[in-house]
Amino acid sequence: EAVVNRIAAGEIIHRPANALKELIENSLDARSTSIQVFVKDGGLKLLQIQDNGHGIKVEDMKIVCERFTTSKLRSFDDLSSMSTYGFRGEALASISHVAHVTITSKTQDSNCAYKASFSDGKVVPAKPGGPAEPKPCAGNNGTQITASGAEDLFFNVPTRRRALRSPTEEYNRILDVVNKYAIHNAGVAFTCRKAGSTTPDVNTAPMASVLDNIRQIYGSAVVNELLLLEETLPKYSLKIKAYISNANFNVKKFAFLLFINHRSVDSPSIRKAIENVYAAYLPKNSHPWVYMSLEMEPRNVDVNVHPTKREVHFMHEDEIVGEICDAIQRRLGDANT
Ligand code: ADP
Ligand code: MG
């Protein structure tokens, strides 16, 4: 059974950055306003996240790492109206199959925190032969989750791919995930720090705006070139909020930070369409910088995609992509006159 689970888990979590995305989304679901990430060897040795969210009740603690355990889905109808990130109840289970997981959590109405370690979905007794129970301990409100291992984490990936793992590349992917969520979640202070360094690589302020966060991460040079685009399209129950680079500014690689209903995703159709609009303005081999947040009816978005596939599809996709292009075109046109 352990082998089957490991294979299933490996399909979901095969890189530290995928695990971290799930952990960050859980912290956001728990309404955290502070999320701190700590990483060793690109997350291949250790990945830790500390939040100040609503915490995990001691009676739930024992089962949080079991498959299909979620506190976010109360009935089947909820599926179509989910507003939280997770609902599959698989992320922690998957991570606990590829790493040693330790959770310390305190809810506001508990006098103390509880701590438990997990392996293959189950609580590991603190002492051999002891009870497999969370143990009371000191701690602040919120949750700390550590994924660590003696061997490299995510060890179940095929050897041929594992051989290529570079801590630097994995860390860059982690930074990419933290940067995106830090920018989008104005009001949540994010830090990301790697072992051996005292200064964090990401450090956003608690009461910042999206633009403040972009400045913090990408610098003023980018912020000064951005145009705000805000539109509501009642026909598709769609809200667009974007910061798009003006027609005189370009970057070497298309920076496309897309959120649909606050989830960091990719949409090849939107991506391609935006590149096409800008191609009329920008020199060859240069690209725009775009942050875009779309809000639409949750039931119109295909949320049931595989967790490693960031690609999403939605209802009226062609029409909506067309509307987005028109809006960008108008905004670039206005700015030029
Ligand atoms: P899902 O997010 O799909 O429910 P997960 O495996 O990601 O499944 O998490 C399982 C459960 O663990 C969540 O439903 C939630 O109750 C709890 N949980 C996980 N992380 C946190 C956190 N940072 N704060 C509070 N509760 C959490
Ligand atoms: Mg989750």
Side-chain angles (χ1 to χ4, degrees), residues 174-224:
I174 283 173
L175 278 182
D176 195 54
V177 169
V178 180
N179 281 341
K180 282 185 176 140
Y181 277 97
I183 285 176
H184 183 71
N185 292 279
V188 182
F190 276 83
T191 63
C192 181
R193 186 168 67 82
K194 56 175 181 286
S197 130
T198 45
T199 45
D201 296 304
V202 182
N203 192 4
T204 58
M207 300 296 280
S209 66
V210 169
L211 219 46
D212 291 334
N213 292 335
I214 297 174
R215 185 178 293 106
Q216 175 71 28
I217 290 163
Y218 285 87
S220 309
V222 169
V223 171
N224 294 341

Coordinates of all heavy atoms in Angstrom, one line a residue, residues 174-224:
I174 N 11.2 28.0 -6.4 CA 10.5 28.4 -5.1 C 10.3 29.9 -5.0 O 9.2 30.4 -4.7 CB 11.4 27.9 -3.9 CG1 11.2 26.4 -3.8 CG2 11.1 28.6 -2.6 CD1 12.0 25.7 -2.7
L175 N 11.4 30.6 -5.4 CA 11.3 32.1 -5.3 C 10.2 32.6 -6.3 O 9.5 33.5 -6.0 CB 12.6 32.7 -5.8 CG 13.7 32.9 -4.7 CD1 14.9 33.6 -5.2 CD2 13.2 33.6 -3.5
D176 N 10.1 31.9 -7.4 CA 9.1 32.3 -8.4 C 7.7 32.2 -7.8 O 6.8 33.0 -7.9 CB 9.3 31.4 -9.6 CG 8.5 31.9 -10.8 OD1 8.7 33.0 -11.2 OD2 7.7 31.1 -11.4
V177 N 7.4 31.0 -7.1 CA 6.1 30.8 -6.4 C 5.9 31.9 -5.4 O 4.8 32.5 -5.3 CB 6.1 29.4 -5.8 CG1 4.9 29.2 -4.9 CG2 6.1 28.3 -6.9
V178 N 6.9 32.1 -4.5 CA 6.7 33.0 -3.4 C 6.5 34.4 -3.9 O 5.6 35.2 -3.5 CB 7.9 33.0 -2.4 CG1 7.7 34.0 -1.3 CG2 8.1 31.6 -1.8
N179 N 7.3 34.8 -4.9 CA 7.1 36.2 -5.5 C 5.7 36.4 -6.1 O 5.1 37.4 -5.8 CB 8.1 36.3 -6.7 CG 9.5 36.6 -6.2 OD1 9.7 37.1 -5.1 ND2 10.5 36.4 -7.1
K180 N 5.2 35.4 -6.8 CA 3.9 35.6 -7.4 C 2.8 35.7 -6.3 O 2.0 36.6 -6.3 CB 3.5 34.3 -8.2 CG 4.2 34.4 -9.6 CD 3.7 33.3 -10.4 CE 4.4 33.4 -11.8 NZ 4.8 32.2 -12.4
Y181 N 2.8 34.8 -5.3 CA 1.8 34.9 -4.2 C 2.0 36.2 -3.4 O 1.1 36.8 -2.9 CB 1.8 33.7 -3.4 CG 1.0 32.6 -4.0 CD1 1.5 31.6 -4.8 CD2 -0.4 32.7 -4.0 CE1 0.7 30.7 -5.5 CE2 -1.2 31.7 -4.6 CZ -0.6 30.7 -5.4 OH -1.4 29.8 -6.0
A182 N 3.3 36.6 -3.2 CA 3.6 37.8 -2.4 C 3.0 39.0 -3.1 O 2.4 39.9 -2.5 CB 5.1 38.0 -2.2
I183 N 3.2 39.1 -4.4 CA 2.7 40.3 -5.2 C 1.2 40.3 -5.1 O 0.6 41.3 -4.9 CB 3.2 40.2 -6.7 CG1 4.7 40.6 -6.7 CG2 2.3 41.1 -7.6 CD1 5.3 40.5 -8.1
H184 N 0.6 39.2 -5.4 CA -0.9 39.2 -5.5 C -1.6 39.4 -4.2 O -2.7 40.0 -4.1 CB -1.4 37.8 -6.1 CG -2.8 37.8 -6.3 ND1 -3.5 38.5 -7.3 CD2 -3.8 37.1 -5.6 CE1 -4.8 38.2 -7.2 NE2 -5.0 37.4 -6.2
N185 N -1.0 38.9 -3.1 CA -1.7 39.0 -1.8 C -1.3 40.2 -1.0 O -0.6 40.1 0.0 CB -1.5 37.7 -1.0 CG -2.2 36.5 -1.7 OD1 -3.4 36.3 -1.5 ND2 -1.4 35.8 -2.5
A186 N -1.7 41.3 -1.5 CA -1.5 42.6 -0.8 C -2.2 42.4 0.6 O -3.3 41.8 0.6 CB -2.1 43.7 -1.5
G187 N -1.5 42.8 1.7 CA -2.1 42.6 3.0 C -1.6 41.3 3.7 O -1.8 41.1 4.9
V188 N -0.8 40.5 3.0 CA -0.1 39.4 3.6 C 1.4 39.7 3.5 O 1.9 39.9 2.4 CB -0.5 38.1 2.9 CG1 0.2 36.9 3.6 CG2 -2.0 37.8 2.9
A189 N 2.1 39.6 4.6 CA 3.5 39.8 4.6 C 4.2 38.5 4.3 O 4.0 37.5 5.1 CB 4.0 40.4 5.9
F190 N 5.0 38.4 3.3 CA 5.7 37.2 2.9 C 7.2 37.4 3.1 O 7.7 38.5 2.8 CB 5.5 36.9 1.4 CG 4.3 36.1 1.1 CD1 3.1 36.8 0.9 CD2 4.3 34.8 0.9 CE1 1.9 36.1 0.6 CE2 3.1 34.1 0.6 CZ 1.9 34.8 0.4
T191 N 7.9 36.4 3.6 CA 9.3 36.4 3.6 C 9.7 35.0 3.0 O 9.0 34.0 3.2 CB 10.0 36.6 5.0 OG1 9.7 35.5 5.8 CG2 9.6 37.9 5.6
C192 N 10.9 35.0 2.4 CA 11.5 33.7 1.9 C 13.0 33.8 2.2 O 13.6 34.8 1.7 CB 11.2 33.4 0.5 SG 11.9 31.9 -0.1
R193 N 13.5 32.9 2.9 CA 14.9 33.0 3.3 C 15.6 31.6 3.1 O 14.9 30.6 3.3 CB 15.0 33.4 4.7 CG 16.4 33.6 5.2 CD 16.4 34.3 6.6 NE 15.9 33.5 7.7 CZ 16.6 32.6 8.3 NH1 17.9 32.4 8.0 NH2 16.0 31.8 9.3
K194 N 16.8 31.6 2.6 CA 17.5 30.3 2.5 C 18.5 30.1 3.6 O 19.0 31.1 4.2 CB 18.1 30.1 1.1 CG 19.1 31.1 0.7 CD 19.7 30.6 -0.7 CE 20.7 31.6 -1.2 NZ 20.1 32.8 -1.7
A195 N 18.7 28.8 4.0 CA 19.7 28.5 5.0 C 21.0 29.2 4.8 O 21.5 29.2 3.6 CB 19.8 27.0 5.2
G196 N 21.6 29.7 5.8 CA 22.9 30.3 5.7 C 22.9 31.8 5.3 O 23.9 32.4 5.3
S197 N 21.7 32.3 5.1 CA 21.6 33.7 4.7 C 20.8 34.4 5.8 O 19.7 33.9 6.2 CB 21.1 33.9 3.3 OG 20.1 34.8 3.3
T198 N 21.2 35.6 6.2 CA 20.4 36.2 7.3 C 19.4 37.1 6.7 O 18.4 37.4 7.3 CB 21.4 37.1 8.2 OG1 22.3 37.8 7.4 CG2 22.1 36.2 9.2
T199 N 19.6 37.6 5.5 CA 18.6 38.5 4.9 C 17.7 37.7 3.9 O 18.1 36.9 3.2 CB 19.3 39.6 4.0 OG1 20.3 39.0 3.2 CG2 19.8 40.7 4.9
P200 N 16.4 37.9 4.1 CA 15.5 37.2 3.2 C 15.6 37.6 1.8 O 15.9 38.8 1.5 CB 14.1 37.5 3.8 CG 14.3 38.8 4.6 CD 15.7 38.8 5.0
D201 N 15.2 36.8 0.8 CA 15.2 37.1 -0.6 C 13.9 37.7 -1.0 O 13.8 38.3 -2.1 CB 15.5 35.8 -1.4 CG 16.9 35.3 -1.2 OD1 17.9 36.1 -1.3 OD2 17.1 34.1 -0.7
V202 N 12.9 37.4 -0.3 CA 11.6 38.1 -0.5 C 11.2 38.6 0.9 O 11.4 38.0 1.9 CB 10.5 37.1 -0.9 CG1 9.2 37.8 -1.2 CG2 10.9 36.3 -2.2
N203 N 10.7 39.9 0.9 CA 10.3 40.5 2.1 C 9.3 41.6 1.8 O 9.6 42.7 1.5 CB 11.5 41.1 2.8 CG 11.3 41.5 4.2 OD1 10.2 41.2 4.8 ND2 12.2 42.1 4.9
T204 N 8.0 41.2 1.9 CA 7.0 42.2 1.5 C 6.3 42.7 2.8 O 6.3 42.0 3.8 CB 5.9 41.7 0.6 OG1 5.3 40.5 1.1 CG2 6.5 41.3 -0.8
A205 N 5.8 43.9 2.7 CA 5.3 44.6 3.9 C 3.8 44.1 4.2 O 3.1 43.7 3.2 CB 5.3 46.1 3.7
P206 N 3.4 44.2 5.4 CA 2.1 43.7 5.8 C 0.9 44.5 5.2 O -0.1 43.9 4.8 CB 2.0 43.8 7.3 CG 3.2 44.6 7.7 CD 4.2 44.5 6.6
M207 N 1.0 45.8 5.0 CA -0.1 46.6 4.5 C 0.1 47.1 3.1 O -0.4 48.2 2.8 CB -0.4 47.7 5.5 CG -0.8 47.3 6.9 SD -2.3 46.3 7.0 CE -3.5 47.6 7.0
A208 N 0.9 46.4 2.3 CA 1.3 46.9 1.0 C 0.2 46.8 0.0 O -0.8 46.0 0.2 CB 2.5 46.2 0.6
S209 N 0.4 47.5 -1.1 CA -0.5 47.3 -2.3 C 0.2 46.4 -3.3 O 1.3 46.1 -3.1 CB -0.8 48.6 -2.9 OG 0.4 49.1 -3.5
V210 N -0.6 45.9 -4.3 CA 0.0 45.1 -5.3 C 1.2 45.8 -5.9 O 2.2 45.2 -6.2 CB -1.1 44.7 -6.4 CG1 -0.4 44.0 -7.6 CG2 -2.1 43.7 -5.7
L211 N 1.0 47.1 -6.2 CA 2.0 47.9 -6.8 C 3.3 48.0 -5.9 O 4.4 47.9 -6.4 CB 1.5 49.3 -7.2 CG 1.9 49.9 -8.5 CD1 1.9 48.9 -9.7 CD2 1.1 51.1 -8.8
D212 N 3.0 48.2 -4.6 CA 4.2 48.2 -3.7 C 4.9 46.9 -3.8 O 6.2 46.9 -3.7 CB 3.7 48.3 -2.2 CG 3.1 49.7 -1.9 OD1 3.4 50.7 -2.6 OD2 2.2 49.7 -1.0
N213 N 4.2 45.8 -3.8 CA 4.8 44.5 -3.9 C 5.6 44.3 -5.2 O 6.7 43.7 -5.2 CB 3.8 43.4 -3.7 CG 3.2 43.4 -2.3 OD1 3.8 43.9 -1.3 ND2 2.0 42.9 -2.1
I214 N 5.0 44.8 -6.3 CA 5.8 44.6 -7.5 C 7.1 45.5 -7.4 O 8.1 45.0 -7.9 CB 4.9 45.1 -8.7 CG1 3.7 44.3 -8.9 CG2 5.8 45.1 -10.0 CD1 2.7 44.8 -10.0
R215 N 7.0 46.7 -6.8 CA 8.2 47.5 -6.7 C 9.2 46.8 -5.8 O 10.4 46.7 -6.2 CB 7.8 48.8 -6.1 CG 9.0 49.8 -6.0 CD 8.6 51.2 -5.4 NE 7.7 51.9 -6.2 CZ 6.4 52.1 -6.0 NH1 5.8 51.6 -4.9 NH2 5.6 52.8 -6.9
Q216 N 8.7 46.2 -4.7 CA 9.6 45.5 -3.8 C 10.4 44.4 -4.5 O 11.6 44.1 -4.3 CB 8.8 45.0 -2.6 CG 9.5 44.1 -1.6 CD 10.4 44.9 -0.8 OE1 10.2 46.1 -0.6 NE2 11.5 44.3 -0.3
I217 N 9.7 43.7 -5.4 CA 10.3 42.5 -6.0 C 10.9 42.7 -7.4 O 12.0 42.2 -7.7 CB 9.2 41.4 -6.1 CG1 8.9 40.9 -4.7 CG2 9.6 40.2 -7.0 CD1 7.6 40.1 -4.5
Y218 N 10.3 43.6 -8.2 CA 10.8 43.8 -9.5 C 11.5 45.2 -9.7 O 12.2 45.4 -10.7 CB 9.7 43.7 -10.6 CG 9.4 42.3 -10.9 CD1 8.4 41.6 -10.2 CD2 10.0 41.6 -11.9 CE1 8.0 40.3 -10.4 CE2 9.6 40.2 -12.2 CZ 8.6 39.6 -11.4 OH 8.3 38.3 -11.7
G219 N 11.3 46.0 -8.7 CA 12.0 47.3 -8.7 C 11.2 48.4 -9.4 O 10.2 48.2 -10.1
S220 N 11.6 49.7 -9.1 CA 10.8 50.8 -9.6 C 10.9 50.9 -11.1 O 9.9 51.4 -11.7 CB 11.4 52.1 -9.0 OG 11.5 52.0 -7.6
A221 N 12.0 50.5 -11.7 CA 12.1 50.6 -13.1 C 10.9 49.9 -13.8 O 10.4 50.5 -14.8 CB 13.4 50.0 -13.6
V222 N 10.5 48.8 -13.3 CA 9.3 48.1 -13.9 C 8.0 48.9 -13.5 O 7.2 49.2 -14.4 CB 9.2 46.7 -13.5 CG1 7.9 46.1 -13.8 CG2 10.4 45.8 -14.1
V223 N 7.9 49.2 -12.2 CA 6.6 49.8 -11.8 C 6.3 51.1 -12.5 O 5.2 51.4 -12.9 CB 6.7 50.1 -10.3 CG1 5.6 51.0 -9.8 CG2 6.7 48.8 -9.5
N224 N 7.4 51.9 -12.8 CA 7.2 53.2 -13.5 C 6.7 53.0 -14.9 O 6.2 54.0 -15.5 CB 8.5 54.0 -13.6 CG 9.0 54.4 -12.2 OD1 8.1 54.4 -11.3 ND2 10.2 54.7 -12.0

